Every structure is written in C-alpha cells, then in structure tokens.
Amino acid sequence: MRFSKGDTDKIQQLSDYIDSSKSMVAITGAGISLAGGGITYSQLSKTVRSAGFGTDSFLRSYVKAMHSYRPSYSHYALRDLEAEGKLTGIITTNEDCMHTIAGSKNVAEIQGGFQINRCSKCGRHYDGYEIWNQEELPKCESCGGSILPWELYSHISLWDEGVEKAQDWISKADLILVIGTHGYYGGAYWDYRRRDAVIVQINPGHTGFDSAADLNIREDCDSVFKKLKERREQNG
C-alpha cells in the first residue's frame, strides 16, 4: 500500500489507499464540523461563559447552534465509506453528534457528547441526541431534574466507552485518515495503532500529525472528499 511521497496526484494516492485497505478508521476534529458552518463546543463554551452566563444559558445557546446547521459534505462522505464497508469507525473529539446525524453507525465520541445524558438529580439515563430536539431544555420524567450531557454532569474529559472503541479500531486499522484535527487527547488511543498503518492527513494547516503522515493533503476536507468521489467514479 505504500506510495512515493513525491507523487503529485494526492487524490489518486488517497483513492488507491482506500481501495487497498482492509480496515480503515477516521479521526476527526473541529475542522470537519466547521466545514459545515458549525461551531465547536469549546468555542461556544468560552464565549458564553466569559459573558457570565450559567449552565442553562450555555445549553440553550449550544443546542440552538447545534441544530442551526447540518452535517458537512465530509460527514456524509464518511457515512458512505462506512456503508460501502471500507470504514470501520470514526474516532472524534466533537460533541455535536453530526456524524450520527449524518448516518454513521460506528462513532467513538471520546469526549462524550449530547448523546450521553443523565439527570442531575437522580442519575436516570437519557441517551440519544433526539432528547435535545425541543424548544425547552429537557427535564427528567422521574424527578423533574435537569438533564445534562456528559461534559456537564461528569466533569471528566474522556468517555471510557468511546476511548475503548477507539483503541480497538485503531489497533486493527491498516489505514488511518486524520481529518481536521490537531489530535487533542490522541494519547488515549494513538499509541494503540498498528505501526505499519498508512496515515493520511487532510488539513489545510500544519499539525502534530505532519511528520507521522505518509500523505499530507493541504486542503479543506470537503474539497478533498468531493475530488475523491469524482476520482473513484472515474476509476470505476
């Protein structure tokens, strides 16, 4: 699966890597959601909380933002690769549920997200992002307490179940796509990767993955996946 780094047709290289792969994973970060016009959890958190607003105001602002945009072209492209049987899973630090909304089934949200919810009073589970699809903030059916997503009720940076999935998937992957991320919290799973895995980074900027990547594509992810679709269709 190795190709010359001097090859200038990077989209063809990526296409060949995907066609040759037996087990591929994608690692995504803020870049893939920003491509769809979204706002990250951390960005909004800093803005709202710096203004002195409380938890309810923050949740209302984030949920409104989360439902004001749709998944990006890249979210759907990864969904299609999964449906094709090429993509084993997606490892993401994003909390916006856009991979799931786009239709991806195997998503490891290593920082948790708005699909993992608990009552702040009695601890009842309310999993699934659909609970946030309403005008008012959700309340517990059992005790009336406020329902909070993982980030707010746990006060823990990483979600163990998501990390375990990430470790398992990356340990078996022969191709790793790094998309729009600087790799924050990568230490939780990165060392589990196969040392012979091919690494492709899609990011217009430089990151800590630069030296590890076999192929760096310096473009935004939506542009890359549109070109990739065209190339794979041409190749038949």
Side-chain angles (χ1 to χ4, degrees):
M1 289 176 61
R2 298 284 175 176
F3 291 82
S4 169
K5 290 188 178 182
D7 191 335
T8 57
D9 193 345
K10 294 186 176 182
I11 300 300
Q12 185 60 54
Q13 280 187 275
L14 175 57
S15 179
D16 290 343
Y17 283 144
I18 291 172
D19 289 343
S20 300
S21 175
K22 302 300 182 184
S23 179
M24 174 175 63
V25 299
I27 301 170
T28 70
I32 195 169
S33 287
L34 294 176
I39 184 170
T40 67
Y41 184 95
S42 59
Q43 286 175 328
L44 190 62
S45 179
K46 290 176 183 177
T47 300
V48 174
R49 292 179 180 180
S50 65
F53 296 123
T55 297
D56 282 2
S57 295
F58 168 73
L59 283 173
R60 286 193 181 91
S61 298
Y62 188 80
V63 171
K64 181 180 179 180
M66 187 171 76
H67 291 292
S68 68
Y69 72 101
R70 302 302 300 165
S72 67
Y73 185 93
S74 299
H75 286 110
Y76 290 116
L78 292 179
R79 173 205 63 187
D80 291 344
L81 286 169
E82 181 187 73
E84 186 182 336
K86 281 295 181 181
L87 184 66
T88 300
I90 300 167
I91 302 167
T92 188
T93 53
N94 297 338
E95 298 98 335
D96 57 15
C97 308
M98 285 297 135
H99 285 298
T100 300
I101 292 171
S104 292
K105 304 299 182 185
N106 298 317
V107 184
E109 295 174 321
I110 65 170
Q111 290 191 100
F114 278 67
Q115 299 192 85
I116 310 161
N117 311 295
R118 302 289 183 272
C119 173
S120 59
K121 283 188 178 180
C122 70
R124 178 173 172 176
H125 293 208
Y126 289 91
D127 291 343
Y129 69 88
E130 294 86 356
I131 196 171
W132 301 100
N133 289 337
Q134 52 186 302
E135 292 184 5
E136 295 298 323
L137 294 180
K139 297 294 183 180
C140 179
E141 296 175 358
S142 298
C143 71
S146 297
I147 296 174
L148 301 177
W150 168 266
E151 294 86 345
L152 295 180
Y153 79 76
S154 69
H155 306 293
I156 299 173
S157 297
L158 296 177
W159 182 42
D160 288 344
E161 186 175 327
V163 171
E164 289 170 5
K165 288 180 182 178
Q167 292 172 349
D168 179 53
W169 293 342
I170 205 168
S171 71
K172 300 171 183 174
D174 58 15
L175 176 60
I176 302 170
L177 304 185
V178 182
I179 306 166
T181 180
H182 289 269
Y184 301 124
Y185 299 110
Y189 60 82
W190 186 248
D191 287 344
Y192 288 78
R193 74 188 186 282
R194 281 174 48 173
R195 291 305 186 263
D196 63 343
V198 172
I199 301 168
V200 176
Q201 177 178 222
I202 302 170
N203 200 317
H206 291 277
T207 76
F209 288 106
D210 287 2
S211 59
D214 296 277
L215 177 65
N216 282 297
I217 303 178
R218 301 289 183 205
E219 296 185 54
D220 70 88
C221 53
D222 277 8
S223 296
V224 170
F225 280 110
K226 288 175 183 178
K227 293 176 183 178
L228 176 65
K229 181 179 180 181
E230 293 175 359
R231 182 60 57 88
R232 296 187 78 206
E233 287 176 347
Q234 291 171 3
N235 294 342

